[in-house]
Amino acid sequence: MTFLGNNKSTVSGRYIFLVGIGSFIIAIIFTLFSEIFASKLNNLILSFVFLIIIITINILADLVGTAVTAASHAPFNAKAAKRVKGAPQGLLLIKNADRVANIANDIIGDITTTVSGALGISIVVQIMRVGPRFDQFWLNVLLTALISVLIVTGKAAGKKVSLSHPDEIIFFVGTVLAKIESVTGYNFFQKQKVPKNKQKVGKQ
């Protein structure tokens, strides 16, 4: 992937190691949650709703991961100088574009794709319980194809939007991060509490 907005990599060996461990743990948690959710509730409608949520997360993560590689520093530098809320966070996202894209596109994207496939299998099992006359093989094929179409089509549409409006998307994400920081005091990049006297800085 080419990083249009930031050509300098911030990825280190320690980061790669931590990402590998974190991905493994997150994948287990997501998979267990989806399996328990589908098997315990045993409700086709709720299972499909959860599947759509997982696919939506996949698409949105890809949208952000693509946008951050295409966003420009200049507008964020100008907004940050004017203390516009969300601009400093957006600027940090762009400066760490390779990490953000890796987390969004690779970690979240791959894990949600795997989870959606596992959830699809659980849904097929539920359908077989309700209507045993259905052919399990073709149900698997059709549901897998449906999941693939939704993910691929959604990502294609998302990439068109993210490449057309990268700055707006990252500014929106930065604003969300700023709101989270103001409530929790947690800084996503420095991994430390934001001082009380600085939590109100950046308001328009």
Side-chain angles (χ1 to χ4, degrees), residues 99-199:
R99 292 190 181 190
V100 175
N102 173 245
I103 293 172
N105 296 104
D106 300 327
I107 298 176
I108 298 178
D110 291 348
I111 290 175
T112 50
T113 297
T114 302
V115 171
S116 62
L119 188 57
I121 295 174
S122 297
I123 291 175
V124 168
V125 172
Q126 291 182 58
I127 294 176
M128 292 299 296
R129 290 174 183 170
V130 176
R133 295 180 182 179
F134 291 108
D135 189 296
Q136 185 172 354
F137 172 79
W138 286 111
L139 276 176
N140 275 321
V141 171
L142 290 175
L143 194 54
T144 300
L146 177 62
I147 292 172
S148 298
V149 167
L150 291 175
I151 291 176
V152 173
T153 304
K155 283 187 174 183
K159 278 184 169 58
K160 181 177 181 180
V161 174
S162 59
L163 291 175
S164 299
H165 308 281
D167 294 342
E168 291 87 343
I169 292 172
I170 297 305
F171 180 65
F172 175 78
V173 176
T175 302
V176 172
L177 292 180
K179 289 181 180 178
I180 294 175
E181 287 181 13
S182 66
V183 173
T184 64
Y186 182 79
N187 188 301
F188 287 89
F189 294 93
Q190 296 179 359
K191 297 182 179 180
Q192 64 185 18
K193 289 287 184 178
V194 178
K196 292 290 185 180
N197 62 341
K198 291 185 178 180
Q199 288 183 17

Side-chain angles (χ1 to χ4, degrees), residues 53-73:
I53 291 174
I54 293 295
I55 293 174
T56 301
I57 292 173
N58 186 313
I59 295 170
L60 291 177
D62 188 78
L63 184 148
V64 172
T66 302
V68 77
T69 64
S72 173
H73 290 80

Side-chain angles (χ1 to χ4, degrees), residues 35-111:
E35 287 294 327
I36 293 173
F37 183 91
S39 60
K40 293 297 181 181
L41 291 181
N42 197 27
N43 187 305
L44 273 175
I45 296 178
L46 290 178
S47 294
F48 271 111
V49 169
F50 187 61
L51 176 61
I52 295 300
I53 291 174
I54 293 295
I55 293 174
T56 301
I57 292 173
N58 186 313
I59 295 170
L60 291 177
D62 188 78
L63 184 148
V64 172
T66 302
V68 77
T69 64
S72 173
H73 290 80
F76 289 91
N77 282 324
K79 289 180 179 179
K82 296 179 181 179
R83 297 180 177 237
V84 176
K85 187 175 182 179
Q89 288 78 9
L91 188 59
L92 285 172
L93 287 171
I94 297 173
K95 288 182 177 179
N96 293 275
D98 49 355
R99 292 190 181 190
V100 175
N102 173 245
I103 293 172
N105 296 104
D106 300 327
I107 298 176
I108 298 178
D110 291 348
I111 290 175

